[in-house]
């Protein structure tokens, strides 16, 4: 599939391959500054693909134009050059025009372009336009207080270097990239005893059957406005990696730099053991009505209904009745992620659900342990 297509995605089995890809992306990306009132939007109609190639900027091919005409259907003129607009840029383009609402997608492309142009003309502020893989991928604010560029290849190099110092022999597991988000994971098998020894011995003490867990981290970022640069602590070994609550994030704002990310990463590594202890503490939280508690917590965290109901039903069928621990319920909730992964759920949604589920570690579970039943 052509990289210019909006639905393009790729995976990586090695750190070297992922770093090479991101270096290429950085080298071939263009960050263009322009006054907002000098931007101009034009419609691209799927049934009218007779646009002259010369109308578009150098390097924009027919595939990129046609793909956009069949999707968002807009083009943006920046400093005299016309580029197809990727779906990832839609929200940031609306932000620059300071408009929004459910009515906009119902407008014809021509009318939407007219509305955007009328609104863009009202603002003299600067825009920072990301052109990548033949299309406009984002239209950020040009003020560094609102958006700061954090090159993904430099973030990757920072993580890899710090892992080498803090957790020698860390192993790259897998990587993913599409036009909206980038993510990858590492495991630290040599630090299994140091980080997880006390936790797994406690599970054995309670007679709890468990997977052979390995500590690890997940890195997630985006330069199209979808996510900050963040790293989370994980446990590998089950059906799906378990997010254990430890997470640091550096927003693409307020002049953020790579050294800021390095400081945040140091904090996560220093607190990794505390994240494990937070999970271990759930073993001492007893629930009289675990099914009700699980249902209320899933609702509280706004987890996907269909997958949550299936996980609740599975737990109800297997736990045997009576009292259960919050740890039992939290582990049962991981089935939600496994179910979503088997349904080819988009990576961006999986990561959001994973983060929301991890918030359960910080809840006061007794608030949800009520005799009265609740429907999801």
């Amino acid at each position: 599939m052509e990289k210019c297509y909006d639905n393009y995605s790729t995976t990586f089995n090695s750190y070297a391959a992922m770093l090479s890809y991101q270096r290429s992306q950085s080298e071939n990306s263009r960050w263009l500054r322009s006054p907002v009132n000098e931007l101009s939007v034009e419609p691209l109609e799927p049934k009218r693909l007779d646009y002259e190639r010369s109308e578009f900027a150098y390097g924009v091919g027919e595939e990129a134009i046609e793909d956009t005409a069949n999707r968002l259907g807009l083009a943006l003129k920046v400093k005299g050059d016309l580029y197809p607009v990727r779906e990832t840029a839609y929200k940031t383009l609306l932000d620059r025009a300071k408009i929004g609402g459910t009515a906009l997608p119902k407008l014809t492309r021509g009318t939407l372009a007219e509305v955007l142009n009328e609104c863009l003309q009202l603002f003299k502020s600067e825009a920072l336009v990301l052109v990548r893989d033949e299309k406009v991928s984002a239209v950020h604010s040009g003020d560094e207080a609102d958006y700061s560029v954090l090159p993904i290849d430099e973030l990757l190099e920072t993580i890899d270097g710090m892992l080498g110092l803090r957790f020698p022999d860390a192993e790259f597991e897998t990587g993913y990239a599409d036009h909206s988000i980038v993510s990858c994971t590492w495991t630290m098998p040599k630090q299994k005893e140091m980080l997880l020894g006390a936790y797994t011995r406690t599970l054995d003490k309670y007679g709890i059957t468990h997977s052979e867990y390995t500590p690890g981290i997940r890195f997630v970022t985006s330069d199209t406005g979808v996510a900050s640069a963040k790293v989370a602590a994980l446990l590998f070994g089950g059906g799906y990696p378990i997010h254990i609550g430890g997470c640091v994030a550096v927003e693409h704002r307020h002049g953020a730099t790579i050294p800021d990310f390095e400081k945040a990463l140091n904090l996560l590594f220093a607190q990794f053991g505390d994240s494990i202890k937070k999970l271990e503490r759930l073993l001492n939280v007893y629930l009289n009505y675990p099914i009700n508690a699980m249902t209320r917590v899933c609702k509280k965290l706004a987890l996907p209904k269909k997958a949550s109901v299936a996980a609740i039903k599975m737990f109800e069928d297997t736990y045997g009745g009576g009292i259960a621990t919050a740890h039992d319920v939290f582990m049962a909730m991981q089935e939600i992620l496994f179910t979503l992964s088997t349904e080819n759920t988009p990576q961006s949604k999986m990561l959001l659900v994973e983060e929301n589920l991890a918030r359960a570690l910080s809840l006061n579970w007794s608030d949800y342990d009520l005799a009265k039943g609740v429907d999801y």
Side-chain angles (χ1 to χ4, degrees), residues 246-306:
C247 183
V248 295
V250 174
E251 299 289 339
H252 292 254
R253 302 183 64 189
H254 307 302
T257 62
I258 298 298
D260 293 325
F261 179 71
E262 185 173 344
K263 291 177 183 177
L265 196 56
N266 256 326
L267 182 62
L268 174 74
F269 290 165
Q271 296 179 344
F272 204 108
D274 293 334
S275 298
I276 299 294
K277 290 177 181 177
K278 187 181 294 186
L279 175 61
E280 188 174 348
R281 282 196 290 269
L282 294 186
L283 289 164
N284 296 314
V285 179
Y286 294 93
L287 305 172
N288 293 304
Y289 309 100
I291 300 301
N292 294 349
M294 184 175 178
T295 305
R296 286 189 170 88
V297 168
C298 287
K299 291 188 69 174
K300 168 69 176 178
L301 301 178
L303 301 176
K305 181 176 180 179
K306 181 180 177 182

Side-chain angles (χ1 to χ4, degrees), residues 44-50 69-70:
L44 279 178
E45 298 293 347
K47 294 183 179 179
R48 183 184 170 261
L49 295 178
D50 57 341
N70 289 323

